[in-house]
Amino acid sequence: MTILRIGSGAGYSGDRIEPAVELAEKGGISYLVFECLAERTIAIAQEARLADPQAGYDPLLEARMRAVLPACRQNGIRIISNMGAANPEAAARAVLGVAAELGLPGLKVAAISGDEMRAALVAGGHVLTETGRPAAELGDRLVSANAYLGAAPLVEALAAGADVVLTGRVADPSLFLAPMIHEFGWAADDWERLGRGTILGHLLECAGQVTGGYFADPGVKDVPGLARLGFPLAEVDPDGNGTITKVAGSGGIVTPATVKEQLLYEVHDPAAYLTPDVTADFTGLCVTAAGPDRVRIEGGTGRERPARLKASVGYVAGWRGEGQISYAGPNALARAELAREIVRERLALVGVQAEELRFDLIGMDAILPGMAAGGAPSEVRLRVAGRCATAAEAARIGNEVEALYTNGPASGGGAVKSGGRIVAMLSALVPREAARPQMTMVTG
Amino acid sequence: MIQLRDIAHSRTGDKGDHSNISVIAHDPADYPFLRDHLTAALVAETFAPVLAGRVERYELDSLGALNFVLRHALGGGVTVSLALDAHGKCLASAMLAITLPDPPHPRAASPAAAPPPPSGPAPAA
């Protein structure tokens, strides 16, 4: 193969569906990858699976497959996704169900599991990176532990002829690196090519964030057609350099500026971007315009992969309670400030037990105190949020905000209260042997 | 004086309790100026109200970009933070509000970067 074309069909679990169909129909791609598994999502999916053995995969899996499978089958496009979440095997069966419904027989669907390692985390005495304490101390608050797998088990599935590969926790760029390794036959220690491929995967993993999504700033950085934003595809060379582009006629833009913003998104040391496959190095990268909506990516490299795998660990961290109410017109800020003081005093007076409380004036100081440019705001919204040990305690926070309707400053409006259980994430570094990737193939 | 947004663009990412904020020169000619003036100390001062750790700065000469990592700036991390913007995604816009001295080389005037008149009061907004 000379050039490999890989499309990115989703940047998060709730992403738009039509841009993936557009890529499948008009992108001239060989692979369509959907990155849909946020860090915390797998913990919540794990709980769903415990409640129902057939559950625990992405809630939009069937809808996405129903939308893209016809064009993918017609154009010979293979699909890779982490929509398997906490139950890749059940997800694979669900995809076969959709294929049968669409009259598409003979589909081969691979499920990659083995990232789940809650028991191994506890039994192995592994320590949480953030706290330095053993994971076992979380006790029954521990909900999930999943190692980030690399590309290898996905490559195995592609070699076995899978049309669709569904995984749980896999490093996001590895979803894209797998087809490159499969098609170009890169060695497992070809660090330079693996580094370059990982960089392209990183650019694709958030879908529209490299084609002008999350970029527009009117008058400074204008982007046309954001309501019909096109999702990206990479044209990958056999040496791992490549070009980022999108379907002609779709909305959005691909420029060196959109690419550079996404390149550094969620990156710490650009000389050492760690994945299970390689330590990628962005520092020598050249990003240059190569025609309309085409940007060339060259000069990346890589070094040996990290010795250990990262695991994400989900645990129950209490309950969140929140209330909001708005004030408007002349003196809005003074009334919102008074409301804030009233709630602060009330929470102390009635003895609400909170591990942490937060009082924001949205429009003034909710994002970064001190940023307000001056002048009287025409609308201010009070927001009070807290973290408590129980749901009942957390609910008292929203109640005190709501009670401002009849007990607080004049003309407060639009009060809402909300809350919910907090599933939080920590991480651990574990030996590679702690995860045991497995591939299961089912055929329709 | 200029605002950082006159010469650069920015995006925030989150990883655990740490925020990273890229700063990318619109014109690569402004990158050396950014490297000289947009220090980790200045960024730490700007984000002091939310920052509980240190600021690291990485230089990407070939991209004309800086990458700042703000340690412990996300209220314990997106999954536990009580902040309205738990990811800290809006912080890039706060970064672009930083004021800097005028860069040395002549630049094309943009509406956002219109210099004040040489004397007299500033025009009304």
Side-chain angles (χ1 to χ4, degrees), chain A residues 43-185:
Chain A
I44 293 160
Q46 180 65 31
E47 291 192 306
R49 181 179 181 166
L50 285 175
D52 173 2
Q54 295 307 310
Y57 58 84
D58 188 284
L60 281 178
L61 172 71
E62 283 101 332
R64 289 194 194 282
M65 291 301 112
R66 206 168 283 128
V68 301
L69 266 182
C72 286
R73 288 301 272 170
Q74 187 172 349
N75 296 326
I77 300 165
R78 304 167 90 176
I79 295 170
I80 299 172
S81 178
N82 52 15
M83 278 188 281
N87 202 343
E89 292 84 359
R93 290 191 293 274
V95 170
L96 285 187
V98 171
E101 190 187 299
L102 294 170
L104 299 171
L107 200 69
K108 293 179 78 174
V109 184
I112 309 289
S113 58
D115 54 306
E116 202 288 317
M117 54 161 296
R118 193 163 48 142
L121 185 77
V122 172
H126 296 299
V127 165
L128 298 165
T129 306
E130 293 81 0
T131 63
R133 305 295 307 169
E137 286 182 1
L138 289 172
D140 59 7
R141 295 164 68 208
L142 179 63
V143 173
S144 68
N146 296 79
Y148 279 85
L149 303 180
L154 287 72
V155 175
E156 184 193 339
L158 294 173
D163 300 303
V164 179
V165 181
L166 294 169
T167 76
R169 185 87 280 163
V170 167
D172 296 349
S174 305
L175 299 168
F176 298 86
L177 185 62
M180 302 180 207
I181 295 171
H182 173 67
E183 296 288 346
F184 295 129

Side-chain angles (χ1 to χ4, degrees), chain A residues 410-434:
Chain A
S411 302
V416 295
K417 51 185 181 178
S418 62
R421 205 173 48 117
I422 301 172
V423 176
M425 302 304 292
L426 294 168
S427 64
L429 291 173
V430 298
R432 286 182 172 267
E433 313 81 74

Side-chain angles (χ1 to χ4, degrees), chain A residues 5 20-29 71 75 77 233 246-248:
Chain A
R5 290 168 66 95
V21 179
E22 183 177 53
L23 274 172
E25 289 175 346
K26 302 176 188 167
I29 53 174
N75 296 326
I77 300 165
L233 65 96
K246 64 186 185 69
V247 173

Side-chain angles (χ1 to χ4, degrees), chain A residues 261-262 264-265 285 383, chain B residues 9 11 20 62 67 82 89:
Chain A
E261 275 196 25
Q262 187 55 24
L264 295 176
Y265 180 70
L285 209 61
R383 173 180 180 270
Chain B
H9 56 112
R11 179 173 295 186
N20 88 286
S62 69
N67 188 38
L82 294 175
K89 284 178 178 282

Side-chain angles (χ1 to χ4, degrees), chain A residues 371-433:
Chain A
M371 200 167 49
S378 63
E379 300 176 6
V380 185
R381 188 162 177 80
L382 169 66
R383 173 180 180 270
V384 182
R387 193 168 54 246
C388 303
T390 67
E393 199 67 9
R396 298 174 73 193
I397 296 169
N399 290 345
E400 285 299 337
V401 175
E402 185 187 58
L404 291 169
Y405 263 144
T406 51
N407 301 278
S411 302
V416 295
K417 51 185 181 178
S418 62
R421 205 173 48 117
I422 301 172
V423 176
M425 302 304 292
L426 294 168
S427 64
L429 291 173
V430 298
R432 286 182 172 267
E433 313 81 74

